[in-house]
Amino acid sequence: MIRIAQLSCGAEYSGIQRELERAAEIVGAKMISPEVSLEDVMDVEKRFGVSVPSGDLNLIMARATRLVENPDLADAVFVATCFRCAEGAIIRGEVRRYIHEHSRLPVLSYSFTERTTAETLLTRMEALVTTARMRGLLARERQTGLTAGIDSGSTTTKAVIMRDNQIIGRGWVPTTEVIKSAEEAFQQALQESGVKREEIQGIGVTGYGRFLVGKHFDAKLIQEEITVNSKGAVFLANAQKGPATVIDIGGMDNKAISVQDGVPGSFTMGGICAGASGRFLELTARRLGVNITDLGKLALRGSYKSVPMNSYCIVFGTQSLVNSLSKGARPEDVAMAACHSVAEQVFEQQLQEVEVKQPVIMVGGTSLIEGLPKAMEDLLGIEIIVPNHAQYIGAVGAALLVSGMLEV
Amino acid sequence: MVKVIVYPPTSTILADLVDRMGHTPLVMANEIRKKIDTPSLESPPLNITPEDPKKGLKYAAVDVPSGVRGRMSLIGPMIEEAEAAIIVEDNNCLVGCSGCARTNELTRLLIKIKGIPFIELKYPRDDGEARRFVHEIRMFLEGLK
């Protein structure tokens, strides 16, 4: 049983404690609260350089100290405070950084409301537990044998065939019916590789449709996309040793993952609105009358500065887009403004929750929209790496990880 | 007999003083006990459900964190019920604390604008101050009879 140390303020009073415990139970873990002494609480100023008026936040810091000093108390850490609490957000960030720097415990940082449910937390908890339980498998750097990976995403389904650490076949189709799309992508990959289905030694699946697809293909590995994508990203970017940051802006949500030696350390997942996802860029492309694959090149010729756009809400973002075009804005400026708006929201909402360490690797289909990594590069002031086959990271990660299970 | 809310609302020392002077203390422990004793609710440890922060909307807007509103769903009705109040400032978490500074601020504000008699004191730091502290509270509570 994986023990997740809960360092939170407000969860009981928000009525979600049961949901946290239920999410942990579903993924085979249990929430624990590290015991602290009064001295631990009174000493947080010395350790952290700050103590705050809210007693429960001081308690979080005291518990973090106890965990760092006794890492055997837990296998992973869940740091959570109320959404919209500034004091909580500051301490949550500091505690996450402190644990990340002083221990090897994986940390999940989260801000909740009373609407948070076990289902909302499931993928995150699954990733946290995987990181704690399968550290050995996640440290795997080479793909061996002949394996396949399928990433059943919300927008597209990707598949790869890998042999001896090389990608030999790829498939990419829009997701319609989950199993049908997975079959199509898999067939494309098989065809390109020239390999027969029965020759595949193991299949790994990830993405939203992983459970359905995993059952259909009798997959050896069915895994959430946080651990799998970070593995695929560092593999493709050749950044398996040392720190790295993975940014994956998906069709429906975003992930920011701080990785150390190929294993996720701290991560966050989500997005306030679809305005911060690939959906908004699809919509922008459609409104501009260009193919999504051409949106990025168009954006690189424009400037976001002349087009006010705030995509915190996809509806308002679209409104800004339509208004700008009706006032005569150039399509290339609108395209860049849309890319900048998405990047800015990910920067503000997600990247504040993880340690941004170089190299920063952008992956997923949206990373191929050139304006988006450029906008992120401008915001972070550092170079962004988009590896070859960036859209296949989930499938590659799954194929790589499942090869490790063949030897077990 | 007067219903007296104490601040911090978790202070058992203040609740005891109120009780000894023949009044009814309004404290969080009693509200939580009612929650825990409610049959058929299963939201441990406090039996506060996601519906409670929504009840807290009576006291704080939706953009106030859910933890504050959940706490206010317990404290707010006590303030409504209160006929007098004792407010102790500069206390540390050992005296009693809701765990959340924003909840503490809102609680003090709502007590003060309610228009009920209240006494406001500094938390005592030595024996002499402690004696004066108890004496002043006693005088206040006697005056409520």
Side-chain angles (χ1 to χ4, degrees), chain A residues 326-400:
Chain A
S326 66
K327 285 178 187 165
R330 299 187 315 154
E332 50 267 46
D333 292 342
V334 171
M336 194 60 206
C339 290
H340 181 81
S341 182
V342 170
E344 193 173 42
Q345 194 177 146
V346 173
F347 173 69
E348 289 175 3
Q349 300 292 334
Q350 245 82 66
L351 294 178
Q352 310 305 316
E353 299 280 348
V354 298
E355 303 302 306
V356 178
K357 288 184 178 169
Q358 294 195 67
V360 177
I361 309 161
M362 264 185 95
V363 290
T366 57
S367 65
L368 303 180
I369 301 169
E370 294 90 335
L372 193 56
K374 171 72 173 65
M376 191 60 83
E377 216 163 59
D378 291 346
L379 282 163
L380 288 174
I382 50 179
E383 188 195 355
I384 302 281
I385 295 170
V386 179
N388 280 339
H389 308 302
Q391 69 274 43
Y392 294 105
I393 40 129
V396 169
L400 168 63

Side-chain angles (χ1 to χ4, degrees), chain A residues 7-24:
Chain A
L7 275 52
S8 66
C9 174
E12 302 93 332
Y13 290 101
S14 296
I16 61 152
Q17 184 59 33
R18 181 75 196 101
E19 296 299 308
L20 300 183
E21 289 171 7
R22 198 159 65 83

Side-chain angles (χ1 to χ4, degrees), chain A residues 9-10 12-19 21 38 41-42 53-57 82-85 87 112-115, chain B residues 28 32 42-46 48-50 53-54 62-63 65-67 69-71 74 94 97-102:
Chain A
C9 174
E12 302 93 332
Y13 290 101
S14 296
I16 61 152
Q17 184 59 33
R18 181 75 196 101
E19 296 299 308
E21 289 171 7
L38 185 58
V41 179
M42 305 309 272
S54 292
D56 284 0
L57 292 174
C82 293
F83 177 58
R84 293 196 182 107
C85 175
E87 192 186 12
F112 54 79
T113 70
E114 68 269 35
R115 293 177 186 275
Chain B
M28 249 172 116
I32 289 171
E42 284 201 7
S43 184
L46 304 180
I48 290 175
T49 72
K54 290 176 193 160
V62 73
D63 51 355
S66 53
R69 287 184 281 112
R71 288 172 172 99
L74 297 173
L94 304 181
C97 168
S98 72
C100 166
R102 303 294 89 77

Side-chain angles (χ1 to χ4, degrees), chain A residues 30-45:
Chain A
K30 68 172 179 179
M31 305 301 277
I32 59 158
S33 291
E35 286 184 16
V36 293
S37 67
L38 185 58
E39 285 70 30
D40 291 334
V41 179
M42 305 309 272
D43 272 1
V44 292
E45 178 89 39

Side-chain angles (χ1 to χ4, degrees), chain A residues 46 262 395:
Chain A
K46 274 190 226 159

